[in-house]
Amino acid sequence: MAPAGTPPAVTAKVRAATHAALDTREVQGLFGAQGIDIIKTDAAEFARHVGGETAKWTKLIRSAGIKHD
């Protein structure tokens, strides 16, 4: 995630560095020990995932009648 309007070159550089870190044995070991699967995506796929999760959890929260202060 980055602020709206972040230049594509900046987000590409951050994504590349993040993917490089996720490829290291150290990070894979840390995540694996916690049962976390590493899935590397592009911005569009991530946006679809976040949108789907938002819709799913919004529906659940509303159907359960959960309110916030």
Side-chain angles (χ1 to χ4, degrees), residues 11-53:
T11 57
K13 186 174 182 177
V14 170
R15 183 172 37 261
T18 301
H19 286 192
L22 293 172
D23 287 336
T24 66
R25 285 186 181 177
E26 180 181 8
V27 171
Q28 290 175 2
L30 290 169
F31 280 35
Q34 297 177 58
I36 299 171
D37 294 326
I38 295 173
I39 302 171
K40 297 183 285 186
T41 65
D42 61 23
E45 187 175 344
F46 182 67
R48 283 190 299 276
H49 174 73
V50 170
E53 288 294 299

Side-chain angles (χ1 to χ4, degrees), residues 46-61:
F46 182 67
R48 283 190 299 276
H49 174 73
V50 170
E53 288 294 299
T54 300
K56 176 178 74 175
W57 289 104
T58 298
K59 181 179 176 182
L60 176 79
I61 290 165

